[in-house]
Amino acid sequence: MWPEFYANTRATADVAPATVSLSIRHRLGAKRLDEPTYTWSFPEGVSDIVERRDTVREFTLAEPGTYPISVTISDVRGNTTTLTEEIVLGTPEPFDLSLRYTPSNSY
């Protein structure tokens, strides 16, 4: 039985820049797949890709935008599924800094 797959995404922020962890899971619980392979596809703008396991990638998105990440899962029996997860990062609010100097003594 070929399972239904889903993506689990965690990001350090919902605005750019952000580090994202994307993991692929299936709904068969502890049942093991028959020699699965995971083929990952990343668009431009994705950097610092780290392979944590076959099913997990961590990467950096430096600019705001929509990033479709695709993963094709297949096994030796010919089963295949392609998942596409869109990561959307907004533009951060402008940084506003104001300083006020107050001397503590007359020297």
Side-chain angles (χ1 to χ4, degrees):
M1 174 183 212
W2 188 243
E4 178 183 345
F5 291 88
Y6 63 98
N8 185 17
T9 306
R10 286 185 292 148
T12 56
D14 59 355
V15 296
T19 299
V20 179
S21 176
L22 181 65
S23 61
I24 304 301
R25 302 180 187 268
H26 61 81
R27 300 197 191 279
L28 283 183
K31 290 188 178 181
R32 299 184 56 85
L33 301 175
D34 195 11
E35 298 180 37
T37 59
Y38 299 83
T39 306
W40 294 77
S41 176
F42 297 92
E44 283 189 39
V46 176
S47 63
D48 302 326
I49 301 169
V50 177
E51 179 180 335
R52 297 287 179 210
R53 293 188 301 275
D54 287 346
T55 59
V56 179
R57 295 294 186 274
E58 187 174 287
F59 49 91
T60 301
L61 301 171
E63 299 295 326
T66 301
Y67 298 87
I69 313 297
S70 294
V71 183
T72 300
I73 306 110
S74 56
D75 71 0
V76 294
R77 296 178 185 205
N79 296 306
T80 187
T81 296
T82 299
L83 289 178
T84 300
E85 184 76 6
E86 284 194 343
I87 312 294
V88 179
L89 291 183
T91 304
E93 293 291 322
F95 189 71
D96 185 20
L97 175 69
S98 61
L99 299 174
R100 186 174 68 181
Y101 172 73
T102 307
S104 63
N105 58 43
S106 59
Y107 297 111

